Amino acid sequence: MTHALLAIDVQNDFCPGGALAVAGGDEIVAGINTAMAGFDAVVLTQDWHPAGHSSFASTHNAALMSMTEMPYGPQVLWPDHCIQGSTGAAFHSDLQTNRADLIIRKGYNPEIDSYSAFFENDKTTPTGLEGYLRTRGIDKLTLVGLATDFCVNYSAVDAAKLGFDVSVNLALCRAIDFDGSLDAAKSGMAAAGVTLA
Ligand SMILES: [Zn+2]
């Protein structure tokens, strides 16, 4: 099997001090760097929103973390984060980005959020990552990164649905854990056939 490490959104805005900080988000960076050596390929994802993105509460004059109904389904309204070209959207400065074979950006469509590295939140618009992995013969994925219960979760479930052999290294992830979202994510990933390590 050809095994890739898929590191999700290890960006300043998801680390302490960032706009959408995940508690302990910076604690996983060193471990991710160390883990990279053990894989055939390393892929990084980068949340990458235009200003005024439809997933931002400010765009709707709505409360932070409130829910709204989008044409594609329910959507959490987040603080402004990971705006294209901003410091917040940059990778954590300690992350060894030179080791990455591919950096794939997501969330650039103003109308659709993209938690998953594979599909936007309409669950049909592909990011192109599946094609990249398949044409390289990569069939096994280990996911790490931020946040366990959103972008890691959605990416892992989509990868499993697409037929990849998927595991999530929970020690190298950190969660937002909003309204029971971490437990729900763990159950959902396990039900989809994702190995939680
Ligand atoms: Zn985002």
Side-chain angles (χ1 to χ4, degrees), residues 130-152:
E130 179 194 4
Y132 175 85
L133 297 173
R134 292 212 193 282
T135 51
R136 286 199 56 191
I138 293 164
D139 44 11
K140 185 170 184 179
L141 299 173
T142 293
L143 276 72
V144 297
L146 305 170
T148 321
D149 37 348
F150 286 91
C151 293
V152 173

Side-chain angles (χ1 to χ4, degrees), residues 8 20 64 71-72 76 83 104 108-109 165 168:
I8 303 291
L20 183 38
L64 293 180
Y72 53 80
V76 181
I83 293 174
I104 189 156
Y108 45 74
N109 182 340
D165 179 334
V168 171

Side-chain angles (χ1 to χ4, degrees), residues 23-191:
D26 54 338
E27 296 168 2
I28 63 175
V29 177
I32 292 173
N33 288 338
T34 302
M36 288 177 179
F39 290 85
D40 303 306
V42 173
V43 175
L44 308 178
T45 71
Q46 192 170 26
D47 209 32
W48 195 249
H49 298 304
H53 191 257
S54 59
S55 73
F56 296 165
S58 63
T59 302
H60 305 269
N61 291 313
L64 293 180
M65 312 300 278
S66 61
M67 297 293 298
T68 192
E69 199 63 34
M70 296 290 198
Y72 53 80
Q75 170 71 47
V76 181
L77 292 176
W78 305 104
D80 292 19
H81 66 278
C82 295
I83 293 174
Q84 296 170 355
S86 68
T87 302
F91 289 111
H92 188 286
S93 58
D94 292 339
L95 186 69
Q96 288 178 13
T97 57
N98 288 346
R99 175 65 175 84
D101 300 337
L102 175 74
I103 294 170
I104 189 156
R105 290 171 169 167
K106 60 186 182 63
Y108 45 74
N109 182 340
E111 303 302 327
I112 313 180
D113 203 4
S114 190
Y115 296 154
S116 168
F118 292 92
F119 295 99
E120 295 186 344
N121 283 11
D122 61 3
K123 302 191 188 306
T124 56
T125 307
T127 63
L129 180 57
E130 179 194 4
Y132 175 85
L133 297 173
R134 292 212 193 282
T135 51
R136 286 199 56 191
I138 293 164
D139 44 11
K140 185 170 184 179
L141 299 173
T142 293
L143 276 72
V144 297
L146 305 170
T148 321
D149 37 348
F150 286 91
C151 293
V152 173
N153 170 33
Y154 280 75
S155 299
V157 169
D158 280 348
K161 284 181 182 166
L162 290 168
F164 292 96
D165 179 334
V166 186
S167 64
V168 171
N169 183 342
L170 290 171
L172 295 179
C173 297
R174 291 293 183 274
I176 295 172
D177 201 11
F178 158 64
D179 199 17
S181 55
L182 179 58
D183 283 344
K186 285 182 182 171
S187 307
M189 287 191 282

